[in-house]
Amino acid sequence: MTDEKGLVELLRKAGYPEKAIDYYMRKLNVGVIEGAEAVDSFTGLCGDSMRMYLKVEEGVIKDAKFQAIGCAGAFASGSALTEMVKGKTLKEAEKITEHDVIKDLEGLPGPKLHCARLSVDALRKSIESYMKR
């Protein structure tokens, strides 16, 4: 098993920026929100899946967490996006794009750019499920 320092080195060599590595290593916002008002999942073309949980009060996202089956890029993207949406209205959150996620992470390796899209699609599905309630 690779130790933490070795894993960080591997991620650096793969082209992950420090912020993405930090989010991945800390598993920031990975988890479940019991009683979340918005929950839904999305599976990307690569086979990675993400489930997004949103705590919504008066149209504002108060908390966000996610679960994923995927690579470091998926986890870093989910962490970045959940941080980005906290305190935003649902309408503001819907406008976030994969480019915004990539910019927030300070980049992703080329083969992992689709991971940002996965997180955005999971968010939009969660918001859509909330609106249908």
Side-chain angles (χ1 to χ4, degrees):
M1 180 119 195
T2 306
D3 65 357
E4 191 171 304
K5 194 173 180 181
L7 180 56
V8 168
E9 242 351 272
L10 285 173
L11 292 168
R12 283 185 183 129
K13 285 179 184 174
Y16 284 92
E18 293 302 316
K19 187 172 184 181
I21 293 170
D22 177 59
Y23 279 173
Y24 175 69
M25 296 303 292
R26 289 192 296 135
K27 301 293 189 262
L28 187 66
N29 298 322
V30 174
V32 174
I33 298 174
E34 295 298 331
E37 289 79 14
V39 180
D40 214 329
S41 303
F42 187 82
T43 300
L45 294 174
C46 66
D48 289 359
S49 294
M50 188 173 292
R51 184 168 191 86
M52 190 79 56
Y53 299 83
L54 304 175
K55 184 77 180 156
V56 181
E57 293 176 15
E58 298 178 13
V60 176
I61 299 169
K62 296 296 183 181
D63 196 12
K65 292 194 182 297
F66 74 99
Q67 293 178 308
I69 298 171
C71 63
F75 279 90
S77 295
S79 292
L81 185 58
T82 51
E83 282 295 287
M84 293 169 72
V85 300
K86 290 177 187 177
K88 291 198 176 344
T89 66
L90 292 169
K91 287 189 185 286
E92 289 170 333
E94 276 185 310
K95 293 178 183 173
I96 295 172
T97 68
E98 64 265 32
H99 302 292
D100 297 325
V101 175
I102 293 164
K103 183 178 178 185
D104 185 75
L105 285 171
E106 300 166 4
L108 278 174
K112 300 301 178 180
L113 294 175
H114 69 278
C115 295
R117 182 75 209 178
L118 173 69
S119 67
V120 169
D121 286 340
L123 171 70
R124 289 183 180 157
K125 290 258 312 191
S126 293
I127 291 172
E128 186 181 311
S129 72
Y130 176 81
M131 298 300 201
K132 288 180 180 176
R133 293 176 21 164

